[in-house]
Amino acid sequence: MGTSQRFVQILEFETDRIDEMRALAEEGEQGVTGRADGPTRRLVLKDRDQPNRYLVVIEFDSHEEAMRNSDDPETGKFAERMAALCTRPPSFTDCDVQDTTEFR
């Protein structure tokens, strides 16, 4: 088994400006799509009980790639612009992927 392990970062945020957030995310995607150390998958979730609360699950091939992505100046600029659209500061949770199962 290799030393690299898939890695997921969970971003939680609240916003009442979701359309602007989506436009910003689409712009940001163009900068990371196909980049060697960029994310491999993104899942956006909307809380049904708290209408302005969202969770974004971003998957990377490894923790090292995620850290290189985080250190990129463009990622920092994106994070600042994103935070400006939030009604409270976003939070991040770093996770090592232990197991995945595809049911379909």
Side-chain angles (χ1 to χ4, degrees):
M1 182 177 189
T3 57
S4 81
Q5 176 178 15
R6 281 185 301 165
F7 177 81
V8 167
Q9 193 166 63
I10 302 170
L11 164 62
E12 177 185 346
F13 66 92
E14 290 181 8
T15 186
D16 53 9
R17 300 164 68 180
I18 193 60
D19 291 335
E20 292 171 76
M21 189 72 77
R22 282 190 182 112
L24 178 62
E26 287 174 12
E27 182 183 319
E29 282 175 19
Q30 294 172 4
V32 297
T33 300
R35 208 169 74 188
D37 60 355
T40 57
R41 180 178 302 148
R42 182 187 72 176
L43 178 65
V44 180
L45 309 170
K46 183 177 188 299
D47 190 323
R48 293 184 77 136
D49 297 321
Q50 299 177 52
N52 289 336
R53 180 174 176 252
Y54 296 84
L55 297 158
V56 181
V57 180
I58 306 166
E59 185 175 326
F60 294 85
D61 283 333
S62 69
H63 177 261
E64 294 75 22
E65 288 185 9
M67 294 305 99
R68 281 194 295 274
N69 181 71
S70 292
D71 290 341
D72 186 291
E74 290 303 312
T75 301
K77 290 177 193 173
F78 174 83
E80 287 176 16
R81 292 175 64 197
M82 191 203 98
L85 297 174
C86 292
T87 52
R88 69 176 175 86
S91 67
F92 297 86
T93 304
D94 293 343
C95 304
D96 292 320
V97 176
Q98 299 297 297
D99 187 28
T100 59
T101 302
E102 299 287 336
F103 291 105
R104 292 186 191 203

